[in-house]
């Protein structure tokens, strides 16, 4: 395959695309946002911006913010149960430094990676509709296009995978989802898959820490071989 990030819609602002705090593009999500501002005062309660540098070689794509996690803290996976495993793994492989304290004001910093979501606003019952996923895809497409050093795109779960594949202008059959799969998109970009690090998946054994580590070990090794990242030995489990 030979593809590059393609626009999947017309976003209302410049790159890197990021929806405004009162983004009206998805009426159901906009109404839910208003409800949350009343129910969760003091929280972020707005589209959650990406975390990490645009010059990073790795972009990690999740599904959507959690109601009392990223939606409240304003940082992807921060305060969400899934963030416990994700950020511990990033620290383990030298993709983050500092201390993760489930707060956007902790000392955690990302290195060589950036985190975003396929849908930027929290959806009711953590379930965005197909139309909401499609509407928000323009931001994902423009984000990938705004990363000049992008070499690896890691999708956490099938929905993130499907949206990223479409954002890259590919057909589903060209890059089928599968945990541990790696799809060569071009001579510069590889798309990797993992089951989502959700509470359900980890509690039921669908995804174990060792399975998650293996995905990151491959990505880090590939980036190091490509000269996109300085070798760093993983910390002990």
């Amino acid at each position: 395959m030979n593809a590059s990030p393609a626009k999947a819609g017309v976003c209302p602002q410049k790159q890197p695309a990021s929806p405004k705090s009162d983004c009206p593009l998805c009426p159901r999500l906009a109404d839910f946002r208003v409800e949350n501002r009343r129910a969760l005062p003091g929280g972020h309660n707005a589209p959650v911006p990406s975390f990490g540098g645009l010059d990073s070689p790795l972009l990690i794509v999740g599904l959507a913010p959690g109601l009392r996690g990223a939606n409240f803290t304003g940082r992807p996976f921060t305060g969400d149960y899934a963030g416990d495993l994700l950020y511990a793994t990033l620290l383990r492989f030298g993709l983050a430094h500092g201390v993760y304290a489930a707060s956007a004001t902790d000392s955690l910093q990302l290195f060589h990676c950036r985190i975003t979501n396929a849908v930027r606003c929290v959806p009711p019952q953590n379930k965005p509709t197909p139309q909401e996923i499609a509407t928000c895809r323009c931001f994902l497409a423009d984000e990938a296009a705004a990363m000049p050093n992008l070499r690896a795109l890691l999708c956490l779960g099938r929905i993130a995978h499907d949206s990223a594949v479409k954002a890259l202008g590919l057909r589903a059959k060209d890059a089928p989802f599968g945990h541990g799969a790696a799809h060569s998109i071009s001579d510069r970009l590889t798309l990797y898959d993992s089951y989502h690090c959700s509470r359900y998946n980890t509690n039921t054994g669908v995804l174990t820490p060792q399975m998650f580590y293996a995905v990151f070990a491959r990505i880090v090794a590939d980036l190091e071989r490509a000269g996109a990242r300085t070798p760093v030995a993983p910390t002990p489990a």
Side-chain angles (χ1 to χ4, degrees):
M1 287 177 285
N2 195 6
S4 59
K7 291 186 177 179
V10 179
C11 288
Q13 49 231 86
K14 298 178 181 179
Q15 293 180 347
S18 183
K20 296 179 181 179
S21 61
D22 288 309
C23 179
L25 297 180
C26 299
R28 187 181 75 119
L29 300 189
D31 290 344
F32 194 49
R33 182 191 311 136
V34 172
E35 294 178 19
N36 292 330
R37 287 175 179 172
R38 291 194 296 264
L40 300 171
H44 179 71
N45 297 315
V48 175
S50 303
F51 178 35
L54 279 168
D55 60 345
S56 302
L58 169 61
L59 177 63
I60 300 170
V61 183
L63 172 54
L67 177 60
R68 296 182 179 275
N71 171 69
F72 191 82
T73 63
R75 197 175 72 183
F77 288 86
T78 302
D80 293 305
Y81 182 87
D84 293 346
L85 178 55
L86 175 60
Y87 286 119
T89 302
L90 295 180
L91 287 163
R92 173 184 175 86
F93 285 93
L95 294 167
H97 290 197
V99 176
Y100 171 64
S103 167
T105 60
D106 59 23
S107 63
L108 191 75
Q109 297 181 55
L110 300 186
F111 289 85
H112 305 294
C113 71
R114 183 174 172 89
I115 304 174
T116 193
N117 279 307
V119 176
R120 301 292 183 91
C121 293
V122 59
Q125 300 180 328
N126 293 320
K127 295 180 179 179
T129 66
Q131 181 58 52
E132 289 161 354
I133 296 167
T135 297
C136 212
R137 189 172 298 127
C138 64
F139 298 110
L140 178 58
D142 284 356
E143 178 124 7
M147 298 179 67
N149 302 319
L150 186 62
R151 298 291 183 274
L153 198 158
L154 171 60
C155 299
L156 302 180
R158 182 180 294 275
I159 292 177
H161 167 93
D162 290 347
S163 193
V165 166
K166 292 177 181 177
L168 294 170
L170 303 173
R171 297 172 298 178
K173 68 177 184 178
D174 293 331
F177 176 79
H179 178 79
H183 305 281
S184 179
I185 305 304
S186 70
D187 58 355
R188 291 171 57 86
L189 179 63
T190 301
L191 186 151
Y192 301 84
D193 287 329
S194 172
Y195 293 135
H196 195 284
C197 48
S198 66
R199 181 192 296 268
Y200 176 83
N201 282 347
T202 54
N203 283 354
T204 59
V206 170
L207 178 70
T208 66
Q210 290 71 29
M211 291 168 63
F212 206 48
Y213 298 158
V215 171
F216 276 89
R218 179 174 183 179
I219 292 172
V220 167
D222 288 349
L223 290 177
E224 290 173 356
R225 278 194 294 270
R229 180 180 182 274
T230 302
V232 176
T235 58

